[in-house]
Amino acid sequence: MEQPLSISQPTEATAQLRCISCGATPASATQDFRCANCGDLVEFVFPGRTFDPLTLKSVWLTRKASCHKLDQSGVWRFRELLPHIPEEHAITLREGNTPLYDLPRCARIAGLDTLQAKHQGLNPTASFKDTGMTVAASSAHQGGFRWVACASTGNTSASMAAYAARGNMHNLVLIPEGKISWGKLSQSLDYGALTCQLRTDFDGCVRILNELVRRKPVYLLNSVNPYRIEGQKTAAIELLEQLKWDPPDHIIVPGGNLGNSSAIGKALLEMRELKLISRLPRLSIIQAQGANPFYRSVREFGGTKLEPMTADTQATAIRIGNPASWKKALRVLRATGGEVEQVTELEIAEAKAEIGADGIGCEPASAVTLAGLKKLLRRGFVKQSETAVLILTGHLLKDPDFTIKFHRGDLFPRTPDAFQTAQIGPLQRAPVVLDADLAAVIAALDAAESRNS
Ligand code: F0G
């Protein structure tokens, strides 16, 4: 059997858990991944870790030609920056390896010279969650757990169910009833999860799950699990590799439970510390206006506190009112000099159609990045000549219902007004129903041509 490629320097990172608030360094994690002293979240740190940056970069590139499962994964390829997990426990679907696309139309619309998007929706279960799930599910396997569990707005559950199935572990999904898309629900069913639709919202599901893990030996796979954050770091590492280690001026991410922004920010800080990059991109976080507790925390309270809220947005993936990782996100926002922004439902729908019209597509929660970027440009925080990368977190087909309603004009039934029609009307492409008649099809073609010319 082919061996994975290793380097001559120590490949086993000596990872240590540390509380983000009181700095305690427990030898092992609690069931809910909170500090036993102060109750805040824990993270991994790597005391004394040093690498020759050029060697690291070249080993990572060499692995692309290897057929070994760890080298073929766009997460485990960067394993020197992850906590060590023995190979026999690694559960991988060859996640990561996602493309970096140019978005020329979106750049023009936003008023930027260039714009790129890293499409994390092209992971095995069609969202960015797979990059963290491969590492965290592997750690559950290493710990010998029979059951893993998560609360989810749909993507974490789809991802967890797939990785649990691959690792022969049972898995419990808690999702808010009626508030997740069919695409995501169908994934967890097909991958064999015990799927419980609770009559509450995401935050209510989290509360129940936190109680459950104290009573039952189930392994928690939400993004409070620091292994998730470590795996999700690799999106930023892979992005920088794709950019030949020349950092963009801005990286823009959606903010829900705030695990992803924390992970990408952590990766940027670690890469600078290890001299893989020489300067930091600014990491900006965008929330839906109806689910904006972090935006309000930063803008109204200077980050001193976060007031939980009842969240509401059609971007159901980020319908979250009490984000667990807000302190981690705040830290990286500050450290990279990024900004927060909020966007309306109309702005999200418009941006999603614009990304679609570039031939890329994404789910609504991902589109907040473009909508937010436009606002950051208008405010002068992002300049026309600067480089920016959007992190698109989920695939277009995760939520076809939203897309069809948008194009049919059914997304905002209660508020049709002239402004809205002018803004999104030109982007709408409702299907045309015709008789099976050549003349009718030719007439539709001619009408479309005259609209386009
Ligand atoms: N985009 C998509 C498509 C998501 O599914 C999520 C989160 C986010 C953005 C926000 O990321 O929570 O790390 O800030 N979805 C979670 C879930 C909560 O359960 O699938 P975050």
Side-chain angles (χ1 to χ4, degrees):
M1 209 175 101
E2 188 170 344
Q3 291 297 310
L5 295 176
S6 60
I7 53 177
S8 51
Q9 299 176 37
T11 53
E12 292 195 20
T14 44
Q16 188 176 77
L17 287 171
R18 190 179 66 188
C19 171
I20 60 164
S21 281
C22 75
T25 53
S28 60
T30 55
Q31 291 276 80
D32 61 1
F33 297 102
R34 290 192 174 267
C35 173
N37 291 340
C38 75
D40 223 323
L41 296 181
V42 293
E43 65 177 348
F44 278 113
V45 290
F46 303 87
R49 177 180 63 179
T50 55
F51 292 108
D52 170 38
L54 286 180
T55 309
L56 215 44
K57 289 175 185 177
S58 95
V59 168
W60 289 341
L61 269 188
T62 312
R63 285 184 182 147
K64 281 189 160 188
S66 156
C67 291
H68 191 274
K69 68 172 188 178
L70 292 184
D71 296 338
Q72 287 194 340
S73 159
V75 171
W76 296 101
R77 192 159 69 81
F78 303 107
R79 53 191 168 272
E80 285 76 14
L81 302 199
L82 304 177
H84 176 71
I85 293 182
E87 191 192 329
E88 66 269 25
H89 295 295
I91 307 166
T92 172
L93 286 163
R94 317 300 190 268
E95 51 291 312
N97 300 312
T98 59
L100 180 65
Y101 291 128
D102 287 327
L103 296 182
R105 285 175 207 231
C106 292
R108 246 192 335 271
I109 291 166
L112 275 175
D113 294 343
T114 61
L115 177 60
Q116 290 181 299
K118 182 152 178 68
H119 206 328
Q120 293 298 94
L122 298 183
N123 267 291
T125 75
S127 86
F128 72 100
K129 305 287 182 180
D130 295 341
T131 56
M133 201 55 74
T134 180
V135 179
S138 301
S139 97
H141 195 269
Q142 183 183 10
F145 283 87
R146 263 175 66 75
W147 278 89
V148 294
C150 73
S152 181
T153 56
N155 278 328
T156 300
S157 45
S159 181
M160 178 187 75
Y163 283 85
R166 301 293 298 173
N168 288 315
M169 295 179 288
H170 300 289
N171 70 106
L172 168 70
V173 162
L174 301 185
I175 45 172
E177 205 235 335
K179 297 294 186 319
I180 79 166
S181 74
W182 291 115
K184 298 173 189 179
L185 178 60
S186 64
Q187 285 181 291
S188 70
L189 301 182
D190 227 34
Y191 301 141
L194 167 57
T195 304
C196 299
Q197 297 183 274
L198 304 189
R199 290 187 199 93
T200 178
D201 55 12
F202 169 80
D203 302 293
C205 292
V206 170
R207 275 195 299 277
I208 302 273
L209 185 60
N210 283 338
E211 293 290 316
L212 181 78
V213 295
R214 284 188 209 113
R215 302 250 192 109
K216 291 279 185 184
V218 297
Y219 185 82
L220 181 65
L221 277 176
N222 275 76
S223 58
V224 294
N225 182 323
Y227 286 97
R228 285 268 314 273
I229 302 292
E230 291 304 302
Q232 285 175 212
K233 284 188 326 194
T234 58
I237 304 171
E238 188 178 75
L239 168 65
L240 267 297
E241 184 186 64
Q242 287 165 319
L243 293 170
K244 307 261 186 298
W245 305 102
D246 182 17
D249 297 308
H250 298 274
I251 297 178
I252 320 279
V253 288
N257 215 16
L258 297 170
N260 200 34
S261 31
S262 306
I264 288 174
K266 187 170 192 283
L268 296 174
L269 296 171
E270 289 185 17
M271 283 191 279
R272 191 185 55 174
E273 188 187 309
L274 292 168
K275 302 199 166 35
L276 293 162
I277 54 174
S278 54
R279 68 185 172 87
L280 286 175
R282 293 177 191 273
L283 181 69
S284 292
I285 303 173
I286 318 294
Q287 294 205 294
Q289 197 167 304
N292 64 353
F294 186 64
Y295 171 85
R296 288 182 39 238
S297 166
V298 174
R299 289 290 180 88
E300 289 173 27
F301 310 122
T304 52
K305 62 172 179 172
L306 180 128
E307 269 185 8
M309 65 185 289
T310 303
D312 196 18
T313 167
Q314 297 201 70
T316 52
I318 50 173
R319 196 171 182 277
I320 294 172
N322 189 12
S325 295
W326 73 274
K327 286 186 192 164
K328 288 185 180 180
L330 183 68
R331 201 175 50 181
V332 297
L333 189 83
R334 296 258 157 88
T336 66
E339 257 296 356
V340 286
E341 198 41 272
Q342 63 173 355
V343 291
T344 66
E345 297 294 293
L346 195 63
E347 288 165 338
I348 295 171
E350 181 187 35
K352 189 179 112 55
E354 287 164 351
I355 294 167
D358 244 328
I360 305 295
C362 63
E363 70 166 284
S366 309
V368 302
T369 54
L370 177 62
L373 173 67
K374 289 190 224 168
K375 288 193 156 170
L376 294 175
L377 262 148
R378 284 203 291 276
R379 281 173 46 198
F381 179 74
V382 175
K383 311 271 181 315
Q384 179 193 334
S385 59
E386 288 184 323
T387 51
V389 177
L390 309 179
I391 305 294
L392 301 182
T393 44
H395 198 282
L396 170 72
L397 295 177
K398 281 282 191 174
D399 193 355
D401 207 37
F402 181 103
T403 308
I404 290 170
K405 278 189 183 155
F406 173 84
H407 288 287
R408 287 199 166 139
D410 299 335
L411 201 58
F412 305 105
R414 286 187 302 275
T415 56
D417 60 30
F419 169 72
Q420 182 182 305
T421 309
Q423 198 166 357
I424 60 176
L427 290 160
Q428 286 171 324
R429 297 277 179 275
V432 185
V433 181
L434 300 171
D435 286 333
D437 173 45
L438 178 61
V441 176
I442 289 177
L445 187 67
D446 289 344
E449 176 58 22
S450 63
R451 272 199 305 276
N452 289 341
S453 55

